[in-house]
Amino acid sequence: MLIRSSLKIDLEEETVEDKIMESNNMNNNIIKVENLTKVYKVGEIEVHAIRGVSLEVKKGEFVAIMGASGSGKSTFMNILGCLDVPTSGSYTLEGTQISQLTRDQLARIRNNKIGFVFQGFNLLSRTTAVENVELPLYYKRTGTKERRELAMEALESVGLADRAHHTPNQLSGGQQQRVAIARALATNPSLILADEPTGNLDSRTSIEIMEIFQKLNENDITIVLVTHEKDIAEFAKRNVHFRDGKIGSDIIVNPRKIASKVLELLPVNVEEEIV
C-alpha cells in the first residue's frame, strides 16, 4: 500500500509539472513588457518618451513597430535591445528580468540573446564579409575554427557565401545588409532586432531583405523590426503602432505580403548581378 501510495503521489507530481510546462509553452514569451515608462530630463523639463507600455511577443513572431518621429518607437527599441533601461515598469527577455541589470549584465544579454540589424549596416570597411560576421563570435570568445564555420553558415543562410572574402566597398547596399543580417544570426540569438533595415535601400532590394527576414521567421526566429514605411510593415505578421509614447494599435497583418511573390513582379537590380 505504501508503494502504491508513493507511486500515486509521484504520478500526481509529474502531472502537475507537465501542466506547468504546458502552461509555459503556451505563454512562450520572448518579450514581456509591463507598464514600461521612460522619462528623460532636459534641464528642468521632463520628456515622457514611453508612457505605460505593455506588450508581449511570443517565440516565432514577426512584429513591426511603427510610428511617426517622436512617437517613442526608437526609445522602445533601445530598451528592448538592452541599450537603455526603463524609468519604471518591467521588461523580461526570455525569462530574464532586464530592468534592474548592471551595464556588464546588459552587455552579456546583448551578446548572447540579441542580434542587431541597423539601417547603416555598421560594417568595418577594411574587413571582409566573413570577418565582419565573426565579430560578435570573437567577443563571445568562440574558438577560431568554430568562429569561421559559424560565420560561413550565417553567410550561406543569406545567400552570400560566395562573397565571404569581399570587403564592403566590393558589395552592393543590399549585399552589405545581408552581411549585417548574417552577423546578427551568427550567435544564434533568441531575438533579431532590426532598426529601419531597409531605410538606405531601393525598392527591390528592400523587398529582397524582407524576403530574407520572412525565410528566417519561417524557421522560428523571432523578429522585431522598426520601420516608418507601411509597405515594409505589411511583410510582418503583426503591426504595433506607437503614438505619443503609447501603443495606439496592435493588429495582425491580414492579408500579409509575401516578399517572394512581390519580387516576381519586379525587374532584377543590375548591381546585384555584378561579381
Side-chain angles (χ1 to χ4, degrees):
M1 292 295 293
L2 287 174
I3 294 173
R4 290 180 182 177
S5 178
S6 177
L7 285 171
K8 183 178 180 182
I9 292 170
D10 287 343
L11 289 171
E12 287 177 349
E13 287 176 350
E14 288 174 4
T15 303
V16 170
E17 288 175 359
D18 289 342
K19 287 180 179 179
I20 291 172
M21 289 178 67
E22 287 176 8
S23 176
N24 288 339
N25 290 334
M26 287 177 65
N27 291 332
N28 209 19
N29 288 324
I30 291 289
I31 292 170
K32 185 173 183 179
V33 169
E34 295 181 292
N35 298 317
L36 206 71
T37 70
K38 183 64 181 181
V39 181
Y40 295 103
K41 288 190 176 181
V42 183
E44 296 181 358
I45 300 174
E46 289 189 344
V47 178
H48 293 260
I50 301 290
R51 302 169 180 262
V53 167
S54 296
L55 180 72
E56 293 183 2
V57 176
K58 297 185 183 302
K59 180 176 174 59
E61 283 202 89
F62 185 176
V63 182
I65 306 290
M66 301 182 68
S69 179
S71 64
K73 68 181 188 301
S74 294
T75 300
F76 186 66
M77 191 71 155
N78 285 339
I79 293 173
L80 292 186
C82 299
L83 299 169
D84 201 354
V85 293
T87 302
S88 65
S90 68
Y91 167 32
T92 304
L93 175 61
E94 206 175 31
T96 301
Q97 176 56 249
I98 301 297
S99 308
Q100 305 300 323
L101 297 184
T102 65
R103 286 187 178 183
D104 288 345
Q105 290 171 328
L106 289 173
R108 283 195 290 272
I109 292 290
R110 288 195 299 270
N111 288 341
N112 294 324
K113 291 185 176 292
I114 304 173
F116 293 93
V117 181
F118 301 99
Q119 178 176 342
F121 316 143
N122 290 5
L123 302 178
L124 298 181
S125 60
R126 298 182 181 181
T127 304
T128 64
V130 68
E131 290 168 339
N132 268 286
V133 175
E134 284 180 331
L135 278 175
L137 295 167
Y138 176 83
Y139 292 125
K140 288 187 70 174
R141 299 183 180 181
T142 305
T144 303
K145 183 180 178 181
E146 184 183 2
R147 190 166 68 228
R148 181 54 55 97
E149 289 174 351
L150 290 171
M152 287 303 300
E153 286 177 12
L155 284 171
E156 179 70 33
S157 73
V158 298
L160 271 190
D162 61 334
R163 306 293 174 95
H165 300 289
H166 288 58
T167 55
N169 64 359
Q170 297 173 314
L171 301 172
S172 69
Q175 290 166 343
Q176 289 184 58
Q177 192 60 292
R178 290 190 203 182
V179 174
I181 294 170
R183 181 181 58 196
L185 292 170
T187 58
N188 192 29
S190 305
L191 172 68
I192 297 290
L193 291 180
D195 189 3
E196 300 282 2
T198 62
N200 289 344
L201 305 175
D202 61 60
S203 297
R204 180 184 173 88
T205 307
S206 296
I207 297 170
E208 289 173 349
I209 294 302
M210 296 312 298
E211 181 184 29
I212 291 172
F213 281 132
Q214 286 188 333
K215 287 180 178 178
L216 293 173
N217 184 243
E218 287 171 4
N219 290 321
D220 215 26
I221 293 175
T222 308
I223 301 171
V224 176
L225 176 150
V226 166
T227 183
H228 65 277
E229 301 175 82
K230 184 176 182 296
D231 58 336
I232 291 297
E234 289 173 347
F235 290 102
K237 294 177 178 176
R238 178 180 168 196
N239 287 178
V240 177
H241 292 254
F242 271 71
R243 183 175 181 180
D244 298 328
K246 299 179 180 180
I247 293 177
S249 64
D250 184 348
I251 60 173
I252 301 299
V253 180
N254 188 21
R256 179 193 183 204
K257 287 183 180 178
I258 304 301
S260 59
K261 293 183 178 179
V262 175
L263 286 171
E264 291 175 0
L265 305 175
L266 298 177
V268 175
N269 283 347
V270 175
E271 69 166 359
E272 296 290 348
E273 297 299 310
I274 297 174
V275 177

